[in-house]
């Protein structure tokens, strides 16, 4: 075994050479990425890029060293040293396991092991590739370090100008923002070179500004906010501010050209969102034998929800005006990540005092980790209802409002009558069978009209049944005259829409004579009963009811034509759709007692009436007119010589301040106004301001136009009326 260490040194040397060659090839790329990160994001970006580059380079070096294993070493020894006689593998085996010729051959190789110490098995250097990599890295890094600092249109690296005294005016050559979010957000500190930034509300922003040449003083000017003075630190100027709301600012220095306004947008922390996971609906019926209930809520927030929440539990008893309720609270601890927690608990219905006719109402109250003022949000209430008895379970004891009567027996009767008529077909003559079928069709029509009132439809005019009128002679029928006393035409249910197009109001009362009081609404308009319960239906319920009316119409059509077999499928479909609509036409409310304000006994029997009658409400304030903005928009129109026209920018800026509450982005408008004020000849700036003003103008309220003067014929008519 004395020869094995000598041979293993060759393997270690080969692996080391492969790793060093990889480092020599990849280190220039790491340095280039680090320099690029420093230029884009400062020291933090350089450190992050360097760490990622070193990790990647190490992984590649280990991967390139893997081929140099024991098998490779044996192959190289057999190929390089002929006296090993292709038996180098015997040197790495245990002598105790060898016998005969194999043991004799291994002893012979032990004596020749000194020949392996003189050879070099390390792979060669990638000299050409290394030189190219380092040369390219030096050029690129030098270009990155020597490239002039630019900050977009905000900094404006213009050529230095001369002041009146002949000294060069300072020019902004570089700027860096360090943004430190509030601790509760958990966000890392970041740096950027852009002067516009969106930061979490309450963040600290530190500025590092470079000038050339150095000014005597510098600062940050915030319109509507106190300015910040920059402090010189060597060749740089620094300053800081807490951003608690969105604001505009610019960098100022004596003699420096005025910069455009930059923006700091404060991103507000949203309130937590609470979602009901289980059960699926907010009203749950107690099942027979149920003893426990486990509601599950899920709370999420931008930066985190506090692990402990409060579950408000309310138990009600009684019905009508004799409802009593008991309320208590219990803490819950959530499970999951800080930004998304799930809260659940198992409630013992017996311990909570549930009984027949009771409601168990739970509501989760969660709080986020916002500082200093936290957001508190209450979840929707979830109701577990124990019906008083079987009958109340069917009608939900009056707290579930029924909004559609049960006419299903009539629809079932129509189906039964149609089936009985089909069975008696052989016993009836053709006319008698058709008449019997038409009678059932009239019953179907009456039922359809009863349901149609819940969809906003009126009863049909004409005969008692409103049926199809067949001609009694071969002579063609005379065309109906368009008179007001003509019966209303028959319409299908789907042809009556909410827009009331094509409705006939012949059955409405006629208008009174000249000078008499008339009902203008019923004469010239269309009124529905305000108690129309169709407005209580959900969209899916309205859809099911509308499809049921269509099926009834199809059933009626077939019955009136003497085809009850073809009417049965439509009648059955109508019955199923009516059942579906009835299951969804209830409105559920929690049964809790009234929370009446406490009685002030000091005022009883005194006769004082102060503060007990509501005062007349103040007239609502009208939105200020947009005349200033509209005039500015017209003045900004591009035409010859338009850039020399005076603009009332001061009045426009005041209008923006006064109407900032209703504008989508008042900061953008104010920045555009400031830019046009400082650069009146900038066409792009004027176009941007005009575009922003167009979106800020309020749409005028529609108003009836003034009627034009009547003609000669119209004037004679008016004179005749007088």
């Amino acid at each position: 075994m004395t020869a094995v260490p000598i041979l293993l040194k060759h393997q270690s040397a080969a692996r080391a050479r492969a790793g060093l060659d990889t480092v020599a090839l990849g280190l220039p790329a790491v340095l280039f990425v680090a320099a690029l990160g420093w230029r884009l994001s400062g020291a933090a970006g350089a450190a992050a890029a360097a760490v990622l580059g070193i990790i990647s380079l190490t992984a590649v070096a280990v991967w390139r060293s893997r081929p140099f294993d024991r098998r490779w070493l044996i192959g190289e020894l057999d190929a390089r040293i002929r006296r090993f006689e292709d038996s180098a593998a015997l040197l790495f085996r245990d002598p105790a396991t060898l016998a005969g010729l194999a043991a004799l051959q291994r002893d012979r190789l032990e004596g020749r092991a000194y020949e392996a110490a003189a050879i070099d098995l390390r792979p060669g250097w990638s000299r050409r590739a290394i030189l190219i990599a380092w040369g390219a890295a030096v050029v690129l890094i030098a270009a990155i370090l020597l490239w002039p600092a630019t900050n977009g249109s905000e900094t404006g690296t213009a050529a230095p100008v001369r002041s009146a005294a002949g000294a060069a005016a300072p020019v902004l050559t570089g700027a860096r923002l360090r943004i430190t979010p509030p601790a509760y957000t958990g966000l890392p500190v970041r740096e950027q070179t852009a002067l516009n930034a969106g930061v979490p509300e309450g963040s600290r922003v530190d500025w590092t500004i470079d000038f050339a040449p150095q000014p005597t003083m510098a600062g940050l000017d915030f319109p509507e906010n106190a300015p910040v003075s920059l402090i010189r630190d060597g060749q740089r100027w620094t300053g800081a501010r807490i951003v608690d709301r969105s604001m505009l600012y610019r960098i100022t220095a004596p003699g420096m050209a005025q910069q455009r306004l930059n923006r700091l947008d404060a991103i507000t922390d949203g309130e937590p969102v609470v979602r009901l996971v289980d059960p699926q609906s907010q009203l749950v019926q107690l099942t027979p034998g149920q003893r426990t209930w486990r509601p599950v809520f899920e709370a999420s927030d931008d930066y985190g929800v506090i692990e402990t929440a409060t579950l408000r539990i309310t138990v009600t008893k009684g019905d009508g005006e004799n409802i009593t309720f008991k309320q208590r609270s219990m803490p819950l601890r959530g499970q999951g990540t800080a930004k998304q927690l799930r809260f659940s608990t198992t409630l013992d219905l017996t311990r909570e005092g549930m009984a027949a006719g009771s409601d168990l109402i739970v509501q989760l109250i969660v709080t986020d980790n916002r500082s200093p003022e936290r957001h508190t949000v209450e979840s929707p209430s979830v109701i577990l209802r124990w019906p008083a008895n079987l009958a109340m379970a069917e009608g939900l004891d009056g707290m579930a409002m029924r909004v559609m009567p049960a006419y299903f027996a009539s629809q079932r009767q129509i189906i039964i009558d149609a089936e009985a008529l089909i069975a008696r077909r052989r016993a009836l003559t053709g006319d008698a069978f058709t008449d019997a079928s038409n009678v059932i069709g009239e019953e179907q029509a009456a039922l359809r009209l009863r349901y149609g009132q819940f969809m906003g439809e009126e009863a049909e005019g004409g005969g008692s049944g409103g049926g199809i009128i067949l001609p009694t002679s071969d002579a063609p029928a005379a065309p109906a005259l368009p008179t007001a006393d003509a019966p209303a035409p028959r319409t299908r249910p789907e042809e009556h829409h909410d827009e009331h197009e094509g409705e006939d109001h012949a059955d409405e009362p006629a208008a009174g004579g000249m000078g008499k009081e008339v009902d203008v609404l019923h004469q010239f308009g269309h009124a529905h009963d305000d108690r129309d319960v169709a407005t209580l239906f959900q969209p899916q319920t309205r859809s099911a009811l509308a499809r049921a009316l269509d099926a009834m119409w199809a059933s009626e059509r077939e019955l009136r034509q003497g085809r009850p077999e073809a009417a049965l499928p439509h009648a059955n479909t109508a019955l199923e759709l009516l059942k579906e609509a009835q299951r969804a036409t209830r409105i559920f409310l929690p049964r809790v007692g009234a929370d009446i304000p406490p009685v002030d006994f000091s005022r009883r029997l005194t006769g004082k009436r102060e503060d007990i009658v509501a005062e007349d409400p103040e007239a609502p304030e009208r939105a200020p007119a947009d005349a200033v903005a509209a005039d500015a928009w017209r003045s900004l129109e591009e035409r010859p010589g338009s850039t020399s026209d005076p603009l009332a920018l001061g009045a426009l800026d005041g209008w923006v301040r006064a109407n900032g509450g209703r504008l989508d982005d008042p900061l953008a408008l104010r920045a555009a106004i400031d830019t046009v004020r400082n650069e009146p000849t900038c066409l792009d700036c004027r176009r941007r301001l005009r575009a922003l003003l167009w979106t800020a103008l309020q749409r005028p309220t529609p108003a009836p136009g003034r009627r034009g003067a009547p003609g000669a014929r119209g004037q004679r008519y008016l004179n005749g009326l007088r």
Side-chain angles (χ1 to χ4, degrees):
M1 297 293 293
T2 57
V4 173
I6 299 175
L7 301 179
L8 292 179
K9 288 182 180 180
H10 292 295
Q11 181 182 3
S12 301
R15 288 185 172 181
R17 174 63 62 83
L20 292 176
D21 187 71
T22 304
V23 171
L25 280 171
L27 188 58
V30 175
L31 296 177
F32 167 72
V33 173
L36 188 61
W38 175 84
R39 188 56 186 253
L40 296 178
S41 303
V51 170
L52 292 177
I54 291 174
I55 293 175
S56 302
L57 187 60
T58 303
V60 174
V62 171
W63 178 78
R64 290 192 64 190
S65 301
R66 289 181 60 187
F68 300 99
D69 53 2
R70 183 71 57 83
R71 184 176 180 180
W72 167 85
L73 179 61
I74 293 172
E76 289 292 323
L77 291 175
D78 290 337
R80 297 285 188 93
I81 305 176
R82 298 179 60 185
R83 297 190 63 191
F84 273 11
E85 299 175 351
D86 295 334
S87 303
L90 296 175
L91 294 173
F92 298 96
R93 297 181 61 180
D94 188 1
T97 60
L98 300 178
L101 294 177
L104 179 62
Q105 180 68 8
R106 188 183 186 284
D107 293 339
R108 294 175 60 192
L109 294 180
E110 283 281 356
R112 303 171 184 174
Y114 67 92
E115 298 182 11
I119 63 175
D120 186 5
L121 300 182
R122 296 176 299 176
W125 293 96
S126 305
R127 292 183 174 83
R128 184 180 181 86
I130 293 173
L131 290 177
I132 294 174
W134 280 95
V138 169
V139 173
L140 294 175
I141 293 174
I144 291 175
L145 298 179
L146 298 178
W147 192 267
T150 58
N151 296 301
S153 59
E154 299 90 345
T155 56
T157 57
V161 297
R162 297 284 174 176
S163 63
V171 175
L172 185 63
T173 59
R176 187 174 302 278
L177 275 65
R178 180 182 176 87
I179 301 168
T180 306
Y184 77 88
T185 62
L187 298 177
V189 178
R190 62 185 176 93
E191 294 185 358
Q192 65 178 49
T193 57
L195 296 179
N196 294 326
V199 301
E201 186 180 15
S203 299
R204 174 188 172 92
V205 180
D206 294 87
W207 284 267
T208 302
I209 310 297
D210 295 331
F211 296 98
Q214 294 295 333
T216 57
M217 60 182 299
L220 301 174
D221 183 22
F222 292 85
E224 298 185 353
N225 292 277
V228 174
S229 299
L230 297 178
I231 301 174
R232 184 171 181 177
D233 183 12
Q235 297 298 318
R236 295 184 172 182
W237 297 76
T238 60
R241 187 185 188 93
I242 300 296
V243 180
D244 53 0
R245 61 189 181 91
S246 300
M247 59 185 66
L248 299 171
Y249 78 97
R250 65 162 52 94
I251 302 171
T252 61
M256 187 178 70
Q258 191 172 34
Q259 305 292 309
R260 293 183 180 180
L261 287 173
N262 306 291
R263 294 184 56 160
L264 288 177
D265 291 314
I267 304 173
T268 58
D269 182 7
E271 294 182 347
V273 177
V274 184
R275 183 176 64 90
L276 178 63
V277 178
D278 188 44
Q280 300 296 326
S281 62
Q282 292 182 238
L283 177 68
V284 184
Q285 295 289 335
L286 187 72
T287 59
Q290 183 178 352
R291 296 291 181 266
T292 60
W293 187 39
R294 183 180 178 83
V296 181
F297 298 88
E298 186 178 78
S300 58
D301 186 69
D302 299 339
Y303 303 119
V305 183
I306 294 181
E307 290 185 354
T308 304
T310 302
L311 185 67
R312 182 188 299 159
I313 305 172
T314 305
V315 179
T316 67
K317 294 182 179 180
D319 55 6
E321 297 182 356
N322 298 322
I323 293 180
T324 61
F325 65 96
K326 180 180 65 175
Q327 189 176 95
R328 72 181 184 92
S329 300
M330 64 177 296
L332 291 182
R333 181 171 293 276
Q335 302 291 332
T337 61
K339 294 184 178 181
Q340 189 172 11
L341 293 176
R342 182 164 289 195
F343 299 87
S344 63
T345 185
T346 302
L347 300 176
D348 190 338
L349 302 184
T350 303
R351 191 174 70 85
E352 299 296 340
M354 285 283 288
S358 298
D359 278 358
L360 176 60
I361 308 167
V362 295
Q363 191 175 25
L364 186 69
I365 304 173
V366 299
T367 306
D368 65 1
N369 59 0
R370 184 174 180 265
S371 178
E373 298 180 359
R374 295 177 176 176
H375 290 141
T376 301
V377 175
E378 299 179 355
S379 72
S381 298
V382 187
I383 308 170
L384 176 64
R385 178 157 295 174
W386 187 339
N389 49 49
L390 184 59
M392 286 192 175
E394 182 71 19
L396 293 180
D397 60 17
M399 296 306 291
M401 178 180 176
R402 293 182 66 97
V403 296
M404 190 172 66
Y407 292 147
F408 306 126
S410 300
Q411 184 63 26
R412 291 193 185 95
Q413 189 63 44
I414 290 173
I415 297 174
I416 294 172
D417 293 345
E419 292 175 345
L421 180 61
I422 295 172
R424 293 189 298 118
R425 173 184 288 274
R426 295 183 179 180
L428 297 176
T429 62
D431 293 340
F433 184 84
T434 303
D435 292 341
S437 179
N438 188 43
V439 171
I440 301 175
E442 291 180 357
E443 295 175 357
Q444 180 72 84
L447 182 63
R448 176 176 58 81
L449 293 177
R450 295 174 72 183
Y451 277 109
Q453 63 181 325
F454 297 102
M455 298 296 289
E457 299 180 359
E458 294 89 358
E460 297 174 350
S464 61
I468 299 175
I469 303 175
L470 300 176
T472 57
S473 65
D474 297 336
L481 297 177
T483 57
D485 56 352
R490 186 175 187 82
T491 57
R492 290 192 57 179
E494 61 269 20
E495 296 172 354
H496 184 92
H497 301 286
D498 292 339
E499 292 77 11
H500 315 298
E501 296 177 359
E503 291 181 343
D504 192 290
H505 301 280
D507 55 347
E508 297 176 359
M514 286 292 181
K516 294 184 180 180
E517 185 177 1
V518 295
D519 190 350
V520 178
L521 176 61
H522 286 86
Q523 181 179 359
F524 301 103
H526 181 83
H528 282 290
D529 190 354
D530 293 337
R531 295 170 298 176
D532 185 5
V533 296
T535 57
L536 297 177
F537 292 153
Q538 297 180 351
Q540 57 268 29
T541 306
R542 290 182 61 87
S543 175
L545 194 54
R547 287 183 284 133
L549 293 176
D550 290 343
M552 289 182 183
W553 173 264
S555 173
E556 175 190 350
R557 182 185 64 238
E558 301 296 341
L559 287 170
R560 288 184 180 276
Q561 296 180 11
R563 296 199 296 264
E565 298 90 346
L568 273 179
H570 301 293
N572 287 313
T573 301
L575 180 61
E576 294 300 325
L577 291 171
L578 290 176
K579 290 180 180 179
E580 178 183 346
Q582 193 235 12
R583 286 192 293 267
T585 52
R586 288 183 173 90
I587 302 172
F588 301 103
L589 303 172
R591 297 176 298 186
V592 295
D595 191 5
I596 302 175
V599 178
D600 186 3
F601 292 97
S602 63
R603 296 174 60 94
R604 298 191 66 184
L605 304 179
T606 61
K608 296 181 179 180
R609 297 175 55 84
E610 293 82 2
D611 300 331
I612 64 174
V613 179
E615 299 179 356
D616 294 337
E618 298 181 359
E621 296 183 1
R622 294 184 178 272
D626 293 343
V628 175
D631 293 341
W633 181 82
R634 296 187 190 95
S635 301
L636 289 168
E637 182 181 3
E638 293 186 25
R639 60 183 185 277
S642 60
T643 56
S644 60
D645 293 344
L647 293 173
L649 296 179
L652 182 59
D653 189 64
W655 177 85
V656 174
R657 295 171 189 268
N659 297 273
R662 69 173 181 85
L663 299 178
D664 294 336
D665 194 355
L667 291 183
L669 259 174
R670 294 189 55 202
I673 293 171
D674 183 83
T675 303
V676 172
R677 180 187 291 115
N678 297 328
E679 305 175 26
T681 59
C682 178
L683 289 178
D684 291 337
C685 306
R686 296 171 67 92
R687 292 169 184 164
R688 173 171 172 76
L689 176 58
R690 194 167 191 261
L692 291 174
L693 284 176
W694 178 255
T695 59
L697 291 173
Q698 280 188 330
R699 181 176 298 177
T701 305
R706 186 176 182 85
R707 179 178 297 176
R713 186 176 181 182
Q715 190 62 43
R716 289 197 303 271
Y717 174 76
L718 295 177
N719 293 336
L721 291 179
R722 297 192 187 97

